[in-house]
Amino acid sequence: MFTQSGAPGGTGTATRPRTGDARRYVNAAAVLRTVLDHGPVARSRVAALTGLSPAAVSRQVVDLTRLGLLRERPGSAAPGAGAVGRPQLPVEVDTDRIAVAGLHIGLPSTHFAFLDARGNVLYHRELSHRGRTGPAVLRPLLARLPGLLAAVPDGRAVVGLGAVTGGAVDRERGVIVRHDPLDLRDVPLGALLAEASGLPVQVDNHARALTQAEILFGHPAARRSVVHLFVGHVVDAALAVAGTVHVGPASPTGDVAHLPVPESDALCPCGRTGCLAVAASDTTLFEAAAAEGVTERPDRAALVAAVQAGDPRADRLVRRRAEIIGRALALLADVVNPDLLVLTEHFSCLDPAYLDVVRTEFARRSRLRRDAALVVAQRLGADVLAVAAGAPALSALYARPVHALAS
Ligand SMILES: [Zn+2]
C-alpha cells in the first residue's frame, strides 16, 4: 500500500510517474500548500493563488479530501459562493484523519511523537537510552516501534515516519553518517525503520528538520530565507532559501560546531579553543553549573529549577551562554544575511529575558548592523523535539501528497 519514497526534492527510489501523473502530483502539492497557508479558503481563491483553473483546483480538492488531507469547513460559506448549484464551502487542512509519526534520536533519550497534518503534537513520549550509546540505542527502539505506532490516537491512519538526529545525516540514503555523542557511524536508519514499521520513512538532520518545520508552519519570513541555530547537547545549524532547506553536495549538513566564538577560551576536542559546540553546548553549561555547585549534577531540570528559583549564579551562567550564542548568530547573519534567524535553545525559549540577552549581544556584534528583531526564538516550546521528529514526514507529505498517500 505504501510506497517507499526518498526525501522531498531527492531522487528517492520511487518509480517515475508518467507526465500526466507528474502534473497532477505537482498540482496537488500546490493546492495543499496553498490551503495550508490560507485556509480556510475558497476554491476560487486557491485557483487565483496557484494559477490553476477552478476545475483543476476542484479535482485536486476532491482527491486531497479523499486522502484525508483536506476538508470543507462547515458554516462558513463565502458570500456569493455557490450562486449556481450547491454552495461551496471553504476548505482547510484536515487535522482529524491522518497522522505522521516521528522519532527524535538524541542525547540522552529518544522522543517519539504523533503529529497531525498541521504539525500539531497529538502524542509525545520520551524514551530514555538508559546511558546506552551506539547500536544499543537503536535495537530496543526498533523492537518497540510497532507497539508505539499502534498507539496512534483516534484511529488515524499513520501515513509516514520521520526520524531525525544531530550530527551528519545523509537524507537521500536515510543514513546517519556520523553522530559522535551517540557513537553512531554509517547507520542505515531509514531502511531499519522502514522494515520495522512498514511505513515510508524520511530521515534528516534535526536542525534541517526544524528549519523545514519553520518553513511549513512558522514565521512567514522563513519562506524567504532563514538560518536556524540549534543549541542543545549538539550545536548545529541549517539554512533555507526560498522555501528549500539547503543540503549541499556530499556534506550531509553544514557544520557550525567549530565556528570560533570571540572571547571564548573553552578547549575543544579538535585542539583549538573557543569552538561554538564546546563554548555553548548544554553539556558545557550543565557541567559548569555542577562544577560551581549550582546544581548537584550536570542536569537540565536541575539548572532550570535553579534559574526559576532565582539563583543568581544559575542566571549568570545562562546569560553568559546567551551572549556566546548572540555572537555566533552575528557571525552567521553577517555571512548569510538571512531574512530570519531562528534560535532553538532551552532558556531563550523558556524566558524572553534570555532571548533579549541573545538579541542585544547579536545587535552589538553584527557588522551588517542587522536589527535585534531578526533573531526569534523557536515557538514550539516543549514540543520542539516532537515537531522536529515528524517534520521530515510532513515535509514529504506536502511535497508529494498524492504520491505519499495513494494506494
Ligand atoms: Zn573545535
Side-chain angles (χ1 to χ4, degrees):
M1 150 138 197
F2 293 108
T3 317
Q4 175 68 38
S5 58
T11 53
T13 54
T15 2
R16 186 172 293 278
R18 293 187 300 277
T19 315
D21 286 343
R23 193 180 308 120
R24 179 171 152 246
Y25 294 161
V26 170
N27 290 351
V31 168
L32 180 60
R33 182 57 196 263
T34 303
V35 175
L36 172 70
D37 289 351
H38 300 274
V41 57
R43 289 165 178 78
S44 55
R45 174 123 174 90
V46 176
L49 288 164
T50 56
L52 296 171
S53 72
V57 169
S58 284
R59 273 199 304 277
Q60 293 299 341
V61 168
V62 168
D63 278 359
L64 292 166
T65 302
R66 184 174 51 78
L67 292 169
L69 289 170
L70 294 184
R71 65 183 168 202
E72 289 187 327
R73 189 180 170 94
S76 53
V84 179
R86 192 171 72 91
Q88 283 208 329
L89 298 170
V91 288
E92 64 182 2
V93 170
D94 192 332
T95 50
D96 288 335
R97 286 191 285 161
I98 64 124
V100 299
L103 288 166
H104 183 284
I105 303 170
L107 203 71
S109 56
T110 286
H111 291 253
F112 174 81
F114 287 113
L115 310 181
D116 71 16
R118 291 193 70 93
N120 300 305
V121 178
L122 303 168
Y123 175 94
H124 181 186
R125 173 163 181 189
E126 186 173 359
L127 311 162
S128 169
H129 296 157
R130 302 175 195 275
R132 290 178 289 233
T133 57
V137 166
L138 299 178
R139 275 193 296 271
L141 213 54
L142 292 167
R144 289 185 71 175
L145 191 57
L148 291 165
L149 289 168
V152 64
D154 315 321
R156 290 160 186 262
V158 184
V159 300
L161 171 64
V164 303
T165 186
V169 177
D170 183 335
R171 67 176 191 174
E172 292 278 322
R173 295 189 299 129
V175 170
I176 301 176
V177 178
R178 210 186 79 204
H179 188 304
D180 287 337
L182 276 177
D183 194 23
L184 293 173
R185 296 269 189 291
D186 298 318
V187 176
L189 185 65
L192 293 171
L193 292 174
E195 194 187 330
S197 68
L199 290 171
V201 177
Q202 312 290 337
V203 180
D204 209 343
N205 164 275
H206 76 150
R208 288 198 303 244
L210 276 172
T211 308
Q212 192 64 59
E214 283 293 330
I215 291 167
L216 281 172
F217 310 114
H219 197 292
R223 308 278 172 81
R224 297 195 294 273
S225 60
V226 59
V227 171
H228 178 269
L229 179 67
F230 178 93
V231 178
H233 286 289
V234 171
V235 176
D236 53 18
L239 160 72
V241 177
T244 301
V245 180
H246 180 64
V247 179
S251 168
T253 186
D255 193 344
V256 294
H258 303 277
L259 190 72
V261 186
E263 294 157 47
S264 167
D265 56 6
L267 182 64
C268 180
C270 79
R272 290 176 297 189
T273 55
C275 295
L276 180 61
V278 170
S281 79
D282 276 356
T283 313
T284 302
L285 178 66
F286 301 161
E287 280 173 0
E292 293 188 22
V294 177
T295 58
E296 273 186 31
R297 57 181 191 283
D299 176 66
R300 180 194 309 275
L303 183 57
V304 170
V307 167
Q308 287 175 339
D311 184 328
R313 296 168 304 165
D315 176 69
R316 187 173 49 80
L317 286 170
V318 172
R319 281 176 183 273
R320 200 166 67 194
R321 173 163 85 164
E323 288 173 359
I324 290 169
I325 292 168
R327 282 175 226 151
L329 285 171
L331 290 172
L332 291 171
D334 285 347
V335 171
V336 180
N337 196 23
D339 289 88
L340 187 71
L341 282 167
V342 180
L343 171 64
T344 300
E345 185 264 341
H346 196 79
F347 294 92
S348 36
C349 293
L350 208 64
D351 184 342
Y354 293 123
L355 178 64
D356 282 345
V357 175
V358 174
R359 284 174 154 171
T360 302
E361 186 69 6
F362 166 80
R364 208 163 73 77
R365 300 285 180 148
S366 168
R367 300 258 172 194
L368 293 180
R369 303 194 179 283
R370 299 297 306 266
D371 191 86
L374 186 71
V375 180
V376 300
Q378 172 277 118
R379 291 178 291 182
L380 300 165
D383 286 338
V384 57
L385 298 182
V387 175
L394 283 173
S395 171
L397 191 63
Y398 277 94
R400 298 193 291 190
V402 177
H403 192 221
L405 289 181
S407 48

